[in-house]
Amino acid sequence: MINAFKSLSLLGSSIGELTYIGPDVVGRNNDVKVAQFNVGNRFETIKVTPQVAFDFNHKFGETMRLIDAKIIAGEARTNARAGARVATYSGTILPASSNEQDKFSIDEYDAVFVTGKKQHVVGRVRSADAFNRNDLIIFSIAANYKTDDRNGVARDSQTDEPIISNYQFNFIPKSKVNGEVTEDDYIRILVKPEEYDRVIDDLKPGQQVYPQGLKFAFVGNSSTDWTVYADQIDLAPSNNNNVTSKPESKPVAESKPNNEAKK
């Protein structure tokens, strides 16, 4: 599976002020009791599976803290035999006056978790729970095309050329290049066309690169649970100071048009 991450640590304080609403039940069989909160004095809500023995009898509107939170794959109740896979939240819920802290330092939450087509930022997450961003070897790149209302390839009205939505950069861990790669080790990161254009002439298969500005989104389909975006691809420093000519860049392999959530 691509991007086979188990969970992501979430910095609770980065979500915004959490004010208690009350208990709710979720899950495929409506058998998981959660605490429901308003976020940042808005109509936005979040449901959290709390620690064992959490007291659900708090006052409506009470401000609370969330520490040691995680985002994991869960199931929502649907009419289908199998529940829909969704992102679920868990963590330790504390009174606002509590001084307890997350087990990871704030600096380790170096990425963001986003939702929706507009990539609404939910909060800061720890990319190290997914992969080591300093241990990635690129082995392929493919274009993903924008789709039209009929799920076909969208084309530019002026040139009739297919419109590229983004490029998928595919990686394996450098630490496993000696024959230890498994099917769950593949990492796919989506990059905007302008960033692809900026770096493509300096890339080659087997090169180590450093993705920056990481965003994680939960998709929960048959291919993967997670989509990862990067704002920038930094090139690995080279030990060879000699200037060499760059080979001509070859056309990127084309991927079949599909919805971005299914990549």
Side-chain angles (χ1 to χ4, degrees):
M1 177 182 284
I2 302 295
N3 295 347
F5 318 141
K6 302 300 182 183
S7 64
L8 291 175
S9 295
L10 171 68
L11 181 62
S13 60
S14 68
I15 300 173
E17 184 179 70
L18 299 179
T19 52
Y20 190 64
I21 298 172
D24 199 1
V25 288
V26 298
R28 181 179 176 183
N29 299 314
N30 276 357
D31 56 356
V32 179
K33 194 172 184 179
V34 296
Q36 186 170 206
F37 297 89
N38 278 119
V39 178
N41 199 30
R42 302 187 300 272
F43 287 114
E44 179 183 351
T45 62
I46 188 171
K47 298 177 182 180
V48 180
T49 304
Q51 68 273 27
V52 176
F54 173 74
D55 181 7
F56 287 91
N57 296 316
H58 286 273
K59 294 180 180 179
F60 177 85
E62 180 180 346
T63 301
M64 307 195 77
R65 294 182 60 227
L66 175 64
I67 67 168
D68 295 337
K70 285 188 176 294
I71 306 171
I72 60 176
E75 286 192 347
R77 185 176 178 84
T78 67
N79 292 328
R81 179 174 298 179
R85 292 180 66 76
V86 296
T88 62
Y89 303 88
S90 64
T92 300
I93 301 171
L94 301 169
S97 59
S98 171
N99 292 321
E100 289 189 50
Q101 301 297 319
D102 292 275
K103 64 179 179 180
F104 299 116
S105 68
I106 291 179
D107 291 342
E108 291 192 55
Y109 296 91
D110 57 351
V112 294
F113 178 67
V114 299
T115 60
K117 291 183 178 180
K118 294 184 178 180
Q119 296 188 6
H120 167 70
V121 175
V122 174
R124 291 168 60 181
V125 293
R126 184 173 179 264
S127 68
D129 289 341
F131 52 80
N132 182 350
R133 64 196 301 171
N134 297 318
D135 186 46
L136 297 179
I137 297 292
I138 191 168
F139 69 88
S140 74
I141 300 174
N144 292 318
Y145 293 100
K146 185 177 180 179
T147 56
D148 57 23
D149 294 339
R150 297 182 179 180
N151 209 32
V153 176
R155 294 183 175 274
D156 187 280
S157 59
Q158 301 296 323
T159 65
D160 200 38
E161 292 292 326
I163 300 174
I164 295 175
S165 176
N166 52 50
Y167 289 88
Q168 49 180 261
F169 283 43
N170 297 299
F171 303 91
I172 60 170
K174 181 182 178 182
S175 56
K176 293 192 174 184
V177 297
N178 293 323
E180 301 171 344
V181 176
T182 71
E183 59 271 19
D184 288 336
D185 286 322
Y186 296 110
I187 305 298
R188 176 170 295 164
I189 298 177
L190 303 185
V191 175
K192 293 180 179 179
E194 51 267 33
E195 181 62 10
Y196 164 84
D197 291 339
R198 187 183 73 85
V199 300
I200 186 58
D201 287 344
D202 295 315
L203 293 177
K204 61 182 180 180
Q207 183 174 348
Q208 184 176 5
V209 298
Y210 301 88
Q212 305 295 328
L214 294 175
K215 301 181 181 72
F216 290 79
F218 190 87
V219 291
N221 58 42
S222 58
S223 299
T224 183
D225 280 339
W226 303 93
T227 293
V228 186
Y229 304 88
D231 290 337
Q232 183 173 315
I233 299 294
D234 285 355
L235 305 181
S238 173
N239 293 325
N240 183 1
N241 294 323
N242 295 327
V243 178
T244 57
S245 59
K246 300 172 186 175
E248 292 184 4
S249 58
K250 297 180 179 180
V252 174
E254 296 183 359
S255 64
K256 296 180 180 179
N258 54 12
N259 292 329
E260 192 167 289
K262 295 182 180 179
K263 297 180 183 73

